[in-house]
Amino acid sequence: MPAHRIFTTPFASVYPHYVAKVERKGRTRGEVDEAICWLTGYDDAGLAAALEDEVDFATFFDRAPAMTAHAALITGSICGVRVEDVDDPLMRKIRMLDKLVDEIAKGRPMTKVLRGGHDSRTTV
């Protein structure tokens, strides 16, 4: 079975859509960046480099310094798909990121989006 097309899509081509989605709802790019960094372990410079290098989603997550230990707490539906039911590990990470962005756009407080706040950035 061929890999899903999103795996080879440049992360930098989707990132502006994440930002636009939250900005339409009065939230900020900084909040999107905070959620991405919390989930993946990237720092601001690492995220900026990944965007500049136009790495695809597979590479973006492969190079992620460390996924948060709290990623398993990201549950629920995004685009009609339950995040916790996604079998492919890469697709699950992409759906987790989609879910975080969706929660930001819906006005959820960042401490809840980050499943406990900045202190929950413990990684595995």
Side-chain angles (χ1 to χ4, degrees), residues 20-75:
K21 179 177 183 171
V22 302
E23 286 180 342
R24 279 192 305 268
K25 301 294 186 167
R27 302 297 288 266
T28 67
R29 173 186 179 155
E31 290 171 308
V32 172
D33 292 353
E34 183 179 1
I36 293 169
C37 291
W38 172 82
L39 178 65
T40 62
Y42 280 104
D43 58 15
D44 291 335
L47 176 58
L51 291 167
E52 185 177 318
D53 294 344
E54 295 191 12
V55 298
D56 59 27
F57 269 93
T59 304
F60 178 78
F61 280 107
D62 187 50
R63 292 183 184 170
M67 294 293 287
T68 181
H70 299 278
L73 299 176
I74 302 170
T75 60

Side-chain angles (χ1 to χ4, degrees), residues 65-96:
M67 294 293 287
T68 181
H70 299 278
L73 299 176
I74 302 170
T75 60
S77 287
I78 185 74
C79 300
V81 177
R82 294 205 58 83
V83 173
E84 60 273 24
D85 292 342
V86 177
D87 291 328
D88 184 278
L90 177 55
M91 183 61 82
R92 186 178 314 114
K93 290 173 186 174
I94 294 168
R95 292 293 184 173
M96 286 177 179

